[in-house]
């Protein structure tokens, strides 16, 4: 079974602080994604990447940056965390940006106070 | 634009009863539909997927049939178990304007009571 590991599993941050969420996959997948989950909104795509050193904007990229330093690692960066960014964040990977199934990490619960 | 609608936010049932979770979609392209399931404190996992019209697909007792005529991909099970309590997401994969996108519905929380 493909493996996607996120860290930390939960985090409390202060408003205006910098937050980095990390994701590591051992699937040898080219594509990696960051999703945000809010009650009533399902999963919304923030950023994705299909190759190291390159990232693409998803549907809700404002307030977030992403970094893909290697095929295995994909980070989500909140330079100035805000209350509205309190949510659960999921990293996922797959082989191709098409109809391939996504493999998700366990999620990071972020609370911004 | 493309969209996915799950009309029920919460569904509560007694063990042993049948369930149907609704999923309808909108796209002008050939659709590929998924159901993902997320148990409490776990990662979402693929449950079912289909792109074939009017063909039933099954996994772990759950089944769904893609009906392009009605733009639906409802998830069903004939007899729910306590372990089926989870959050269920319907998702649409579609190529729109030369770019691909995977759109998730808002999710349906299924709670099965003893």
């Amino acid at each position: 079974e493909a493996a996607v590991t996120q860290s930390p599993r939960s985090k409390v941050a202060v408003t205006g602080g910098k937050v980095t969420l990390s994701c590591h996959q051992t699937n040898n997948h080219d594509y990696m994604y960051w999703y945000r989950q809010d009650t009533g909104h399902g999963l919304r795509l923030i950023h994705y990447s299909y190759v190291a050193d390159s990232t693409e904007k998803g549907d809700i990229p404002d307030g977030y940056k992403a970094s893909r330093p290697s095929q295995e690692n994909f980070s989500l960066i909140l330079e100035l965390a805000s209350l509205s960014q309190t949510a659960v964040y999921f990293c996922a990977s797959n082989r191709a940006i098409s109809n391939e199934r996504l493999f998700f990490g366990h999620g990071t619960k972020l609370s911004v106070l | 634009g493309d969209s996915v609608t799950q009309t029920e936010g919460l569904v509560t049932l007694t063990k042993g009863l049948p369930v149907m979770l609704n999923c309808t979609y909108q796209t002008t392209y050939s659709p590929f539909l998924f159901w993902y399931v997320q148990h409490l404190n776990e990662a979402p996992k693929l449950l079912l997927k289909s792109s074939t019209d009017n063909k039933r697909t099954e996994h772990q007792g759950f089944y769904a049939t893609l009906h392009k005529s009605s733009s639906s991909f409802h998830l069903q099970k004939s007899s729910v178990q306590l372990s089926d309590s989870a959050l269920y997401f319907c998702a649409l994969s579609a190529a729109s304007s030369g770019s691909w996108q995977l759109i998730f519905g808002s999710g349906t929380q299924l709670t099965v009571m003893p």
Side-chain angles (χ1 to χ4, degrees), chain A residues 80-102:
Chain A
L80 296 169
S82 67
L83 294 173
S84 63
Q85 293 176 311
T86 292
V88 178
Y89 293 85
F90 285 98
C91 178
S93 74
N94 68 1
R95 293 187 303 174
I97 192 165
S98 60
N99 300 323
E100 293 284 331
R101 63 175 288 191
L102 287 169

Side-chain angles (χ1 to χ4, degrees), chain A residues 37 40 90 97-99 102 105, chain B residues 32 36 38 43 89 93 100 102 106:
Chain A
Q37 183 179 41
F90 285 98
I97 192 165
S98 60
N99 300 323
L102 287 169
Chain B
F32 205 112
Y36 282 86
Q38 183 184 8
F89 291 104
S93 174
W100 166 91
L102 180 64
S106 55

Side-chain angles (χ1 to χ4, degrees), chain B residues 25-44:
Chain B
Y25 64 90
Q26 183 175 355
T27 182
T28 56
Y29 298 86
S30 184
F32 205 112
L33 274 295
F34 302 81
W35 276 102
Y36 282 86
V37 57
Q38 183 184 8
H39 288 92
L40 188 63
N41 297 324
E42 293 188 10

Side-chain angles (χ1 to χ4, degrees), chain A residues 18-37:
Chain A
K18 182 177 181 178
V19 176
T20 300
L21 307 182
S22 299
C23 179
H24 179 81
Q25 55 106 351
T26 58
N27 310 324
N28 199 32
H29 287 164
D30 287 328
Y31 286 83
M32 296 186 74
Y33 311 81
W34 276 106
Y35 284 92
R36 169 177 172 153
Q37 183 179 41

Side-chain angles (χ1 to χ4, degrees), chain A residues 32-90:
Chain A
M32 296 186 74
Y33 311 81
W34 276 106
Y35 284 92
R36 169 177 172 153
Q37 183 179 41
D38 299 277
T39 303
H41 286 279
L43 293 164
R44 292 182 289 175
L45 182 63
I46 306 171
H47 286 286
Y48 68 97
S49 168
Y50 55 86
V51 68
D53 296 321
S54 177
T55 63
E56 306 292 333
K57 294 181 179 179
D59 300 322
I60 54 165
D62 293 345
Y64 303 94
K65 290 172 57 177
S67 173
R68 182 92 180 269
S70 63
Q71 186 195 39
E72 298 79 17
N73 296 294
F74 191 37
S75 297
L76 185 68
I77 303 152
L78 291 66
E79 294 278 5
L80 296 169
S82 67
L83 294 173
S84 63
Q85 293 176 311
T86 292
V88 178
Y89 293 85
F90 285 98

